Amino acid sequence: ETGVTQTPRHLVMGMTNKKSLKCEQHLGHNAMYWYKQSAKKPLELMFVYSLEERVENNSVPSRFSPECPNSSHLFLHLHTLQPEDSALYLCASSQERTGVNYGYTFGSGTRLTVV
Amino acid sequence: AQKVTQAQTEISVVEKEDVTLDCVYETRDTTYYLFWYKQPPSGELVFLIRRNSFDEQNEISGRYSWNFQKSTSSFNFTITASQVVDSAVYFCALSDMFSGGYNKLIFGAGTRLAVHP
């Protein structure tokens, strides 16, 4: 496989469930990101991992818990979500290099519906 | 503050029309990068172009062209002879090179383009 792969593509979960979103990148990048995209809203940066350390957490509720076990994998653990958390969750990766920005490579996203 | 403004929320055109998507940015950096991404209905953001702030040459790639003007802080995107497959949301993005210790991208709100047959 190449690029950034996200699983599952679609997820329906109840408010009391616990589930995890998975992201895997095969590009040799050293930074990974979680974004949330709700209907009619801008892209919201949730978490950033650079060299497997979390470097940014944009006031995300604790019911979202990220995990980055190595530079190729990123997880988003979900528990006791609310219906307003229904959205497209996008993972991205990039190659960090001082003074240069190559942009991000995105996965296809996980469309989450909380019922 | 770093900011990207895409004033056009939605654009609707008929196939074969030319269409321009506007992008205006604000930055305190002297070196920065600008990007355009396409998000088709499938959801994935697809990279279209990256432009360094020192390179003001316009770029053409098939039916796509980009006009970078530092004097007006704009990086506009034109699709010539639009096709139905161009229907998507298009995002302009700006690099934030020096905050947070990583390569941050600041995204605009996106422009939804609908091309009708």
Side-chain angles (χ1 to χ4, degrees):
Chain A
E1 292 206 49
T2 59
V4 179
T5 304
Q6 286 188 247
T7 54
R9 289 297 310 274
H10 300 272
L11 178 62
V12 179
M13 61 185 285
M15 288 191 281
T16 57
N17 291 160
K18 286 185 181 181
K19 296 284 184 184
S20 296
L21 310 185
K22 180 182 175 183
C23 176
E24 186 173 359
Q25 58 98 359
H26 307 271
L27 300 165
H29 289 168
N30 55 15
M32 296 185 79
Y33 311 79
W34 279 117
Y35 278 87
K36 176 184 178 183
Q37 188 178 30
S38 306
K40 312 250 179 192
K41 279 188 169 183
L43 286 163
E44 298 174 54
L45 179 63
M46 301 175 73
F47 300 105
V48 180
Y49 278 83
S50 178
L51 300 173
E52 298 160 46
E53 287 197 24
R54 191 192 306 180
V55 295
E56 185 147 337
N57 171 0
N58 281 337
S59 304
V60 179
S62 59
R63 56 186 184 269
F64 295 91
S65 174
E67 178 190 1
C68 186
N70 54 60
S71 61
S72 299
H73 294 87
L74 184 65
F75 295 89
L76 188 62
H77 303 299
L78 316 170
H79 65 97
T80 56
L81 294 191
Q82 305 296 313
E84 61 263 28
D85 297 321
S86 298
L88 179 68
Y89 289 85
L90 289 160
C91 174
S93 69
S94 71
Q95 182 59 34
E96 293 295 293
R97 185 178 156 194
T98 303
V100 182
N101 192 319
Y102 297 107
Y104 300 166
T105 301
F106 283 85
S108 298
T110 294
R111 189 160 296 283
L112 173 68
T113 304
V114 181
V115 297
Chain B
Q2 318 283 80
K3 188 178 175 183
V4 176
T5 302
Q6 295 180 256
Q8 304 149 308
T9 307
E10 294 189 30
I11 301 175
S12 182
V13 299
V14 176
E15 222 173 5
K16 296 185 185 164
E17 280 186 42
D18 298 348
V19 57
T20 295
L21 283 62
D22 298 332
C23 174
V24 174
Y25 63 93
E26 296 174 32
T27 181
R28 61 179 180 269
D29 297 336
T30 53
T31 300
Y32 53 89
Y33 294 84
L34 293 161
F35 302 82
W36 276 95
Y37 285 85
K38 173 183 180 181
Q39 186 180 34
S42 58
E44 178 181 355
L45 270 77
V46 177
F47 169 87
L48 294 178
I49 190 170
R50 165 179 170 258
R51 177 57 48 148
N52 181 303
S53 56
F54 294 116
D55 181 2
E56 287 193 70
Q57 261 195 325
N58 291 329
E59 180 149 344
I60 298 175
S61 176
R63 296 183 297 107
Y64 294 172
S65 62
W66 290 269
N67 184 340
F68 176 31
Q69 296 209 343
K70 274 176 98 167
S71 59
T72 55
S73 296
S74 65
F75 187 43
N76 297 338
F77 172 32
T78 297
I79 301 174
T80 303
S82 59
Q83 299 177 2
V84 173
V85 293
D86 296 325
S87 298
V89 181
Y90 291 87
F91 291 94
C92 180
L94 166 70
S95 63
D96 184 339
M97 303 293 288
F98 298 108
S99 73
Y102 69 96
N103 282 335
K104 183 183 285 190
L105 282 189
I106 310 296
F107 284 90
T111 297
R112 182 176 299 275
L113 173 66
V115 182
H116 303 283

